[in-house]
Amino acid sequence: MALAAEAKRVAAEFELTDNDIRKTVAEFVAEMAAGLAQDGTAMSQIPTYVTGVPNGTEKGLYLAVDLGGTNFRVCSIQLNGDTTFNLVQSKVAIPKELMVAKTAKELFAFLAKQIEVFLRTHHNDHFEKQLRRRQTVSTPEGYRDEHIFRLGFTFSFPVKQVGINRGNLIRWTKGFNIQDAVGKDVCQLLQEEIDLLKLPVKVAALVNDTVGTLMARSYTSPGKTSTLLGAIFGTGTNGAYVEKLSKITKSMKGDYDKSTGEMVVNTEWGSFDNGLKVLPNTEYDAQLDRDSVNPGIQMFEKRISGMFLGEILRIALVSIMKRPDVPLFRDDNSSHNDYRSTTTVDETSPLHTQWAVDSSILSIAEADNSVGLRALRQQIETSLGVSAASIDDARAVKEIAHAIAERAARLSGAAVAAIVIHTGRLNPGASSAPQPKSAAAIVEDLKNFNLAEAASATTNKLADTAGMAVNEEEIVDIGVDGSLVEFYPGYEDYMRAAMRAVPEIGAVGERKIRIGIAKDGSGVGAALIALVAAKMEQSNNYVGDLRQRLESVGESSEEQAIVVEK
Ligand code: BGC
């Protein structure tokens, strides 16, 4: 079979129709509702105890650390109180052996050590002063607690949170696997190692990266609209959104402030539809899952995020290479190559090794629209270990990579659509708007959806909305972060196309959804939550409405919130 035809056939296996998207959204809304009602559901819907979002006036200097993927970041953040911030950071790759260490201690001792190195490098004066203070005063009560560095811990794995700085690990994801840590309080694990090094640091807040992204976007986002959702499309994927307290009907152990009527919920949508009721499941997906450290878990994430897309591509390419009748990466195609004619797949090619193909090749393939696909062929050489790939080879890689990424983006769009629909945020002036529909009603509507009618309605609406200005109050603001959404060309456009296919959103609704990158969400967001936690400790009161309460923090922040003297 000709290579081009085979590439087309494989690419078609990744196609998701508009109808698939609608089914996905319906199931997503149903699983969101289930997760709010009880523990132990696939989508965990974890209450975060964060009951307000910031408005940009918050001030102070905080520490934040971020463990969530390939790197460990330590940073200090100066919140300037005018929606801006300054950030100093250091980043270190997490040694692979620590991701699968025997004991949690091995990993957390390494993290504490990095915090020490950061403090010595960037805040040495303050650090030394604190150490002296600790050494010369005999009782812990003797040194003033407010001079301890407050640290926000962004820990981007599913954690059952039981307070603003307490939470037990539910399971590892993204290739981490340290059984000893499962069920333990990750803040305590970190605090113990910090204390062993005698660092003047208190783990004040536990934050998922999506919650940090939501907070950071809210702090920096333009206009008066508060942010609804923070979402990550990077090594892993997940979203956290602002939920009505009345909808969280499962029991919540820790204390929290009820006055805002809201709480941020970490969906852990990576495990949406682990039962594969609606998700696509190609032979490549099935193989990836079978050979992963957590088969049957994180099934949504395994079709979306950067940790997995390169591996899906690898599996698909290898399956073609095994076919004697399809010439992929063989000399048959390269005889009319412009530079070399012998195509060689290196013995050590990443194509032969599980997880060895980096997802960045998908972005490069999408971005290269040149006639000779030079950049992509170069990348095939460096990332896939195939020298002198032919232009036909490159075209095949491009087509399959595109299909894998477009499917990921459309599924991402379905998740965003479901959150927007579930929260009823598209209705302007939320308080006066009609009550959002129940999950069951939304699911029913989506099932009864008439394709032909909707297609014409959508076309009409598209025409209607061309040039239509959206009022600031109508905007639904969403903060996103992660390598896929940031670097994959057109990722947001594919997400938006999926959202338009859902009748409850359509072309009109899609225009009201503003998606903005929230860079450094995990640092700034963690700092913001650490700020709230510090405030809470002082007043012995739980998280209040940041929008009101932090105005007063803003005013007296020089004294109250700046915990590191410059
Ligand atoms: C984790 C989430 C995290 C997401 C993005 C997932 O694997 O379960 O907690 O938010 O990755 O980093």
Side-chain angles (χ1 to χ4, degrees):
M1 188 194 256
L3 177 56
E6 175 65 0
K8 208 176 165 76
R9 185 192 68 75
V10 172
E13 292 187 60
F14 292 98
E15 217 167 275
L16 266 192
T17 65
D18 285 353
N19 211 28
D20 296 331
I21 293 292
R22 287 187 282 272
K23 279 197 214 141
T24 307
V25 172
E27 177 63 17
F28 203 109
V29 169
E31 287 196 18
M32 282 180 78
L36 291 173
Q38 60 188 54
D39 283 329
T41 53
M43 242 165 83
S44 306
Q45 295 279 69
I46 302 167
T48 63
Y49 296 85
V50 175
T51 55
V53 293
N55 64 4
T57 61
E58 297 77 11
K59 287 185 186 174
L61 183 57
Y62 289 86
L63 278 184
V65 296
D66 177 6
L67 178 75
T70 26
N71 296 308
F72 179 61
R73 285 200 319 155
V74 186
C75 42
S76 56
I77 301 106
Q78 176 73 53
L79 302 168
N80 298 325
D82 57 359
T83 80
T84 67
F85 61 88
N86 303 91
L87 184 141
V88 181
Q89 71 158 324
S90 74
K91 196 159 86 171
V92 26
I94 301 159
K96 284 259 180 314
E97 63 276 13
L98 289 186
M99 296 181 177
V100 290
K102 282 236 156 47
T103 61
K105 187 174 175 52
E106 291 167 60
L107 175 66
F108 284 84
F110 170 82
L111 305 185
K113 189 73 204 161
Q114 305 312 311
I115 298 172
E116 177 173 18
V117 172
F118 180 86
L119 286 177
R120 286 193 186 280
T121 313
H122 297 287
H123 298 282
N124 199 40
D125 283 3
H126 185 75
F127 181 62
E128 293 290 342
K129 206 156 74 186
Q130 290 304 315
L131 277 188
R132 272 198 306 278
R133 193 194 300 260
R134 286 200 152 195
Q135 278 152 5
T136 52
V137 172
S138 52
T139 61
E141 296 75 36
Y143 47 80
R144 286 177 54 203
D145 202 37
E146 63 264 41
H147 286 159
I148 289 182
F149 287 83
R150 292 290 190 286
L151 176 140
F153 182 17
T154 301
F155 183 78
S156 304
F157 300 92
V159 164
K160 171 127 175 82
Q161 226 164 321
V162 285
I164 200 136
N165 69 347
R166 288 170 58 210
N168 305 326
L169 177 64
I170 300 174
R171 62 177 176 275
W172 289 104
T173 60
K174 297 176 283 196
F176 280 70
N177 191 14
I178 309 169
Q179 278 315 308
D180 171 49
V182 175
K184 294 198 176 138
D185 178 352
V186 292
C187 286
Q188 204 182 330
L189 289 173
L190 182 59
Q191 189 70 60
E192 277 165 12
E193 297 306 321
I194 287 174
D195 291 348
L196 282 177
L197 293 179
K198 299 198 169 29
L199 306 180
V201 173
K202 169 166 183 172
V203 182
L206 175 62
V207 187
N208 186 268
D209 52 356
T210 54
V211 183
T213 300
L214 172 59
M215 301 298 273
R217 173 72 188 170
S218 223
Y219 180 77
T220 54
S221 80
K224 292 204 173 63
T225 323
S226 65
T227 304
L228 171 68
L229 167 68
I232 303 282
F233 302 103
T235 308
T237 185
N238 188 16
Y241 71 103
V242 181
E243 181 57 286
K244 291 206 168 59
L245 271 176
S246 59
K247 283 199 180 175
I248 311 174
T249 51
K250 63 184 173 188
S251 79
M252 282 192 274
K253 285 218 175 72
D255 282 336
Y256 55 93
D257 171 29
K258 301 184 177 63
S259 67
T260 64
E262 291 176 343
M263 185 181 282
V264 175
V265 168
N266 167 14
T267 65
E268 285 297 334
W269 73 36
S271 265
F272 162 64
D273 195 22
N274 280 346
L276 297 183
K277 271 201 209 158
V278 294
L279 285 179
N281 194 27
T282 66
E283 59 181 287
Y284 323 109
D285 295 308
Q287 182 180 332
L288 178 145
D289 182 52
R290 227 175 15 247
D291 297 342
S292 68
V293 287
N294 52 358
I297 313 272
Q298 299 291 102
M299 297 307 248
F300 195 53
E301 178 164 87
K302 283 174 177 159
R303 283 147 183 78
I304 292 184
S305 74
M307 164 111 199
F308 304 100
L309 299 189
E311 177 66 1
I312 301 180
L313 177 66
R314 187 190 74 82
I315 295 171
L317 293 177
V318 169
S319 84
I320 302 179
M321 286 163 73
K322 283 191 183 141
R323 293 189 48 170
D325 58 328
V326 183
L328 175 64
F329 304 141
R330 290 208 215 119
D331 282 342
D332 313 38
N333 292 319
S334 54
S335 51
H336 45 265
N337 248 359
D338 37 4
Y339 51 112
R340 263 180 296 157
S341 63
T342 314
T343 307
T344 327
V345 182
D346 222 67
E347 257 178 42
T348 57
S349 158
L351 284 168
H352 303 312
T353 311
Q354 192 194 16
W355 307 122
V357 172
D358 193 283
S359 296
S360 56
I361 191 172
L362 280 83
S363 300
I364 291 161
E366 183 74 4
D368 186 359
N369 292 313
S370 66
V371 179
L373 295 179
R374 279 272 179 172
L376 175 55
R377 284 155 81 194
Q378 184 59 48
Q379 197 61 30
I380 290 176
E381 177 140 8
T382 48
S383 298
L384 302 185
V386 179
S387 51
S390 71
I391 187 146
D392 289 352
D393 292 332
R395 280 194 194 120
V397 171
K398 185 170 164 74
E399 178 153 15
I400 296 168
H402 173 87
I404 294 169
E406 185 176 356
R407 185 184 73 164
R410 283 173 69 75
L411 289 172
S412 309
V416 174
I419 304 263
V420 170
I421 294 170
H422 165 89
T423 52
R425 275 284 190 110
L426 269 179
N427 301 321
S431 53
S432 57
Q435 279 300 303
K437 285 187 191 171
S438 70
I442 294 168
V443 172
E444 206 38 44
D445 280 0
L446 284 160
K447 274 192 198 140
N448 297 334
F449 180 68
N450 180 315
L451 199 56
E453 256 176 39
S456 71
T458 304
T459 320
N460 292 339
K461 279 181 188 162
L462 263 178
D464 287 353
T465 56
M468 184 191 95
V470 176
N471 291 333
E472 175 70 21
E473 314 81 70
E474 291 181 314
I475 286 174
V476 179
D477 192 62
I478 290 169
V480 292
D481 197 6
S483 46
L484 267 178
V485 67
E486 198 178 352
F487 301 122
Y488 190 87
Y491 198 84
E492 185 182 328
D493 297 337
Y494 296 123
M495 284 174 72
R496 287 186 175 280
M499 290 192 252
R500 280 197 298 275
V502 184
E504 302 261 343
I505 294 190
V508 175
E510 182 265 308
R511 285 174 55 89
K512 295 181 186 162
I513 298 173
R514 179 172 66 195
I515 300 179
I517 297 270
K519 277 290 337 135
D520 297 315
S522 47
V524 182
L528 282 159
I529 298 175
L531 180 153
V532 178
K535 176 79 181 137
M536 247 165 55
E537 279 170 28
Q538 282 165 357
S539 62
N540 211 9
N541 192 352
Y542 222 85
V543 187
D545 178 1
L546 292 181
R547 280 190 175 274
Q548 291 157 20
R549 191 106 66 87
L550 289 177
E551 262 152 39
S552 61
V553 176
E555 282 154 23
S556 53
S557 63
E558 300 302 325
E559 181 203 328
Q560 292 189 329
I562 296 189
V563 290
V564 180
E565 296 153 352
K566 275 212 154 164

